[in-house]
Amino acid sequence: MSVRERLPGGSVLPAGRAEQALLVGGLCILVAAVFLLTPLSATIPGALYVFFEVGILFVIYGLLVLGLDLQYGHTGLVNFGHVVFFAVGAYAVAMLSAEGSFEGVALGYPWMFALVVGVVAAAVLGAVVGATSLRLRDDFLAIVTLATAEIFHTLFVNFRGVFGGNVGILGVPQPVADLAADSDTSLVATLLLFGGVTALTLGMLTRLTDAPYGRVLRAIRADELVTRSVGKSTFRYKMQAFVYGAALAGFAGGLFALYNGAVAPGFFTIQVTVTVWIGMLLGGASNHRAVLAGLAIIMGLRLVSRFALDVSPVAADAFASVRLIVVGLILVLVIRYRPAGIWGDERELGVES
Amino acid sequence: MGVAQNVVFGLVTGSYIAIAAIGFTLIYGIVNMINFAYGEYLTIGAFIGILTVGVLPLPLPVAAVVAMVGGGLVSLLLARVFFTPINQTGPVPMLLTSIGLGLALRNGIRLTAGRGSRYFDTETATLRFDGLPALSVGPVDLLGDVFVTSEQLVVVGCAVGVFVVVHTLLTRTDVGIAMRAMGDDESLARVRGIDTQRIRDNVWVLAGVLAALAGVLLGIQTNVSAGTGFSQILQILSAAILGGAGSPYGAIAGAYVIGLVLALSTVFLPTGMTGLSSAIAFLILIGVLLVKPSGLAGREVREA
């Protein structure tokens, strides 16, 4: 066994997977561009609409889960307010780029500029939260981040003049829909484009965490004191991981705003954080592909319940409750019986099942 | 409305938060977990009470006792099934388990009890103090007319009763002293022959009883629906951490601070922004964790 393999977390993924993801991402974006820039158009059969809608949401949440996995899976930072960075990115993009919103700020700047500012805004918030709270014990970091998310949620609801209250910001430009020939083509192109972006992110993050840099992050999770004692500035690494994750969430928020054409507090509840966390734990934290697969399972439940709804006599909101009960119990069962997740490495995570 | 009236509201809010926060903080101190499902315990208690009043025509005080017994049993059962088996895994897995359990419980309640809100039908007597002179500072009236309803007196009275009982329990009984010993140092407590698992069970029962009482009081004072507990959990948690997680006395103080801040912020905030009061409670929480993480009384939560 070589030295490299014996190091904790020597290599999670065999070389080449990062390149695969980058390749797939690039191809997806190319195909999306073909759909958008040529008169080529797609038609989606009625029954499949829901797959595309959930699929787009999945790739956007995919960015969230990748960022969270960098924070929790690799570095061990228990961020339970991940939705706040998503929301800040989305609101920043919406307020800067929207034109003629019903209520709230709408500045009408170009969307590309807005997207950059959205990412920066989320990163700055991440830096502020990180600088103040990353020294807290794990479970208290969870509480601070959760409280931060709740504070921002309250701000969004209450400052109607700025954030548009419960209605949110309307009239956000939808660049993909504007370019596409019709709404079906726009859905297909959006899924390909965002899916490509998520795949590219997966590739880049895999590169990052396969590098010695990722090894330091995993060492911090395993034992911060030891890592510090070999001369690593652990706080700086934790801070970087936290800010990267926050910026990625802000980017996801920006994409969401530009796809959805509107943002409202209802899109950014604690439910988003819970979904992403459960997806990550189910798949297996610290394995980028696994967390995406776990998230796919959890979000796939939405599809199952959508179709089961058609054949069952129960009311829709009763069905939503049943789905959430199942999701909650999955979380409980995963932590109890497979603490490393389905595809996670138990030895790597230092947990016993 | 004057400041004095809001102080009354604040004391009432603080009272039921305090009752719940004692239970929350005992779980934190002795089982060593943040129980995010704890809000649901309030909801369960309140619904047991409402069911008792509705199905069996029992008077409200009896129903409250039934709810407390039921709440204690439910809490013990949930702990035995969900938390005791993973006691050794550390705080984060237990926190996550409680989040999953909370999600399942909340929706289970919603499924069985529906979305509507319920309340206890009580006769209300209102005590008015109208003669107070206005003492205005700027736009804010410091005194003004004050009223207190009998329901509010019941809530505050129950809280004071709970404080006395919990204090007596913790200082005068073997179980309570064992609880405090475990909160200080579990291994040392075990060495001294304390059956730590039995004490943990006792803490779960006590926490469930307190949560159920807080839930019933919420139902008397306002109303309860499936989402009630969840909307209270962050305030309970803020109170417990503000007071120094693990310390029941700190939790009481923290609860009244939170209650008063929530009520008074409605006086000082411009109209239309009163929804911000909960954000202010969380700001206090974050501030406390950053400046004095050990809270008003309690232990260190900072690692490095």
Side-chain angles (χ1 to χ4, degrees):
Chain A
M1 199 190 273
S2 75
V3 176
R4 186 178 144 79
E5 278 172 325
R6 270 187 286 141
L7 282 170
S11 72
V12 181
L13 299 171
R17 291 214 173 169
E19 286 69 21
Q20 269 176 29
L22 290 173
L23 190 68
V24 170
L27 281 177
C28 282
I29 292 175
L30 268 182
V31 179
V34 169
F35 269 110
L36 289 176
L37 302 176
T38 64
L40 187 67
S41 72
T43 332
I44 307 170
L48 296 182
Y49 260 112
V50 59
F51 280 96
F52 280 85
E53 281 166 4
V54 175
I56 290 170
L57 206 56
F58 164 69
V59 291
I60 291 175
Y61 281 16
L63 290 172
L64 293 182
V65 83
L66 286 173
L68 186 66
D69 186 42
L70 189 66
Q71 296 174 341
Y72 174 76
H74 287 270
T75 324
L77 308 172
V78 187
N79 170 10
F80 224 85
H82 206 47
V83 69
V84 73
F85 306 110
F86 184 52
V88 164
Y91 266 92
V93 169
M95 284 159 59
L96 284 170
S97 65
E99 287 179 50
S101 171
F102 172 64
E103 224 172 350
V105 174
L107 296 172
Y109 287 119
W111 63 267
M112 281 193 201
F113 167 72
L115 191 57
V116 172
V117 176
V119 173
V120 172
V124 168
L125 179 65
V128 172
V129 174
T132 49
S133 329
L134 283 182
R135 290 182 202 279
L136 291 172
R137 225 181 65 182
D138 285 349
D139 42 351
F140 286 88
L141 177 61
I143 299 304
V144 169
T145 45
L146 183 73
T148 310
E150 288 301 311
I151 288 172
F152 271 83
H153 193 79
T154 322
L155 293 180
F156 291 144
V157 173
N158 280 282
F159 281 93
R160 290 176 60 182
V162 183
F163 300 113
N166 277 316
V167 180
I169 310 272
L170 309 175
V172 183
Q174 293 167 285
V176 176
D178 291 345
L179 276 174
D182 51 59
S183 66
D184 281 10
T185 315
S186 140
L187 269 186
V188 174
T190 308
L191 182 59
L192 284 168
L193 182 64
F194 289 4
V197 168
T198 305
L200 284 185
T201 312
L202 170 67
M204 287 188 283
L205 279 178
T206 308
R207 278 265 179 92
L208 181 72
T209 52
D210 279 355
Y213 184 86
R215 211 145 54 221
V216 178
L217 295 186
R218 287 188 293 277
I220 291 174
R221 186 198 56 211
D223 193 326
E224 185 172 350
L225 199 59
V226 169
T227 318
R228 201 160 41 205
S229 70
V230 295
K232 301 290 180 190
S233 167
T234 54
F235 184 74
R236 214 177 68 208
Y237 280 93
K238 281 160 77 174
M239 188 74 184
Q240 285 167 353
F242 198 75
V243 171
Y244 291 157
L248 205 51
F251 182 56
L255 292 184
F256 176 78
L258 294 172
Y259 152 67
N260 200 39
V263 294
F267 294 120
F268 309 105
T269 60
I270 188 176
Q271 209 60 55
V272 178
T273 309
V274 172
T275 305
V276 172
W277 261 94
I278 296 179
M280 175 175 73
L281 293 172
L282 179 64
S286 96
N287 177 342
H288 296 305
R289 293 188 165 200
V291 296
L292 283 175
L295 184 67
I297 294 175
I298 290 296
M299 297 193 67
L301 277 180
R302 293 183 187 212
L303 287 174
V304 172
S305 56
R306 184 79 69 98
F307 287 112
L309 192 57
D310 294 339
V311 293
S312 79
V314 212
D317 56 338
F319 220 95
S321 292
V322 171
R323 180 170 63 83
L324 291 173
I325 293 174
V326 171
V327 168
L329 290 178
I330 288 178
L331 177 59
V332 170
L333 292 175
V334 164
I335 289 172
R336 173 98 153 257
Y337 296 107
R338 278 202 79 93
I342 299 177
W343 296 280
D345 183 342
E346 281 168 29
R347 210 170 50 90
E348 160 76 22
L349 279 169
V351 290
E352 310 253 330
S353 61
Chain B
M1 208 168 5
V3 169
Q5 181 65 65
N6 279 294
V7 170
V8 172
F9 289 155
L11 290 176
V12 173
T13 312
S15 292
Y16 56 73
I17 295 180
I19 296 174
I22 294 173
F24 182 88
T25 210
L26 283 174
I27 297 177
Y28 178 79
I30 292 157
V31 188
N32 199 16
M33 71 174 287
I34 292 176
N35 186 357
F36 217 73
Y38 192 65
E40 272 59 49
Y41 293 24
L42 268 73
T43 322
I44 291 173
F47 274 107
I48 293 178
I50 285 167
L51 206 66
T52 318
V53 172
V55 178
L56 315 166
L58 287 172
L60 187 53
V62 181
V65 172
V66 172
M68 286 161 73
V69 173
L73 290 177
V74 169
S75 169
L76 180 63
L77 185 73
L78 290 175
R80 277 293 177 90
V81 174
F82 291 100
F83 298 124
T84 307
I86 58 163
N87 243 333
Q88 321 309 332
T89 54
V92 174
M94 294 191 68
L95 170 67
L96 294 171
T97 300
S98 74
I99 288 170
L101 175 64
L103 192 64
L105 284 179
R106 189 157 61 253
N107 285 286
I109 297 168
R110 185 167 291 150
L111 206 59
T112 47
R115 286 177 178 271
S117 56
R118 319 284 176 85
Y119 56 91
F120 291 96
D121 226 352
T122 49
E123 285 176 22
T124 314
T126 308
L127 301 173
R128 289 191 175 279
F129 304 92
D130 284 345
L132 296 172
L135 186 67
S136 298
V137 178
V140 177
D141 184 4
L142 283 188
L143 278 174
D145 298 343
V146 177
F147 67 87
V148 181
T149 66
S150 51
E151 292 160 353
Q152 290 171 334
L153 289 177
V154 167
V155 172
V156 177
C158 281
V160 173
V162 164
F163 303 156
V164 173
V165 170
V166 169
H167 175 74
T168 316
L169 181 80
L170 288 178
T171 50
R172 303 259 183 260
T173 66
D174 285 350
V175 174
I177 292 168
M179 282 180 189
R180 281 162 55 214
M182 265 182 78
D184 276 350
D185 190 326
E186 188 174 330
S187 329
L188 216 53
R190 198 161 44 232
V191 169
R192 294 284 296 170
I194 292 172
D195 181 349
T196 50
Q197 187 49 47
R198 193 175 66 87
I199 299 299
R200 253 188 233 117
D201 286 349
N202 284 320
V203 168
W204 281 112
V205 172
L206 178 61
V209 168
L210 292 174
L213 177 61
V216 170
L217 291 177
L218 255 173
I220 293 174
Q221 170 65 25
T222 55
N223 55 48
V224 285
S225 61
T228 300
F230 192 63
S231 64
Q232 300 292 325
I233 183 65
L234 283 171
Q235 289 164 16
I236 295 168
L237 195 147
S238 304
I241 292 174
L242 185 59
S247 154
Y249 306 105
I252 296 171
Y256 282 106
V257 171
I258 297 278
L260 287 171
V261 166
L262 286 177
L264 288 177
S265 60
T266 59
V267 182
F268 294 100
L269 285 172
T271 39
M273 299 231 172
T274 47
L276 285 181
S277 53
S278 62
I280 291 171
F282 300 140
L283 268 185
I284 298 177
L285 165 68
I286 294 182
V288 168
L289 279 177
L290 300 181
V291 179
K292 192 173 183 301
S294 52
L296 301 175
R299 60 190 83 185
E300 189 63 29
V301 296
R302 208 182 290 202
E303 235 174 18

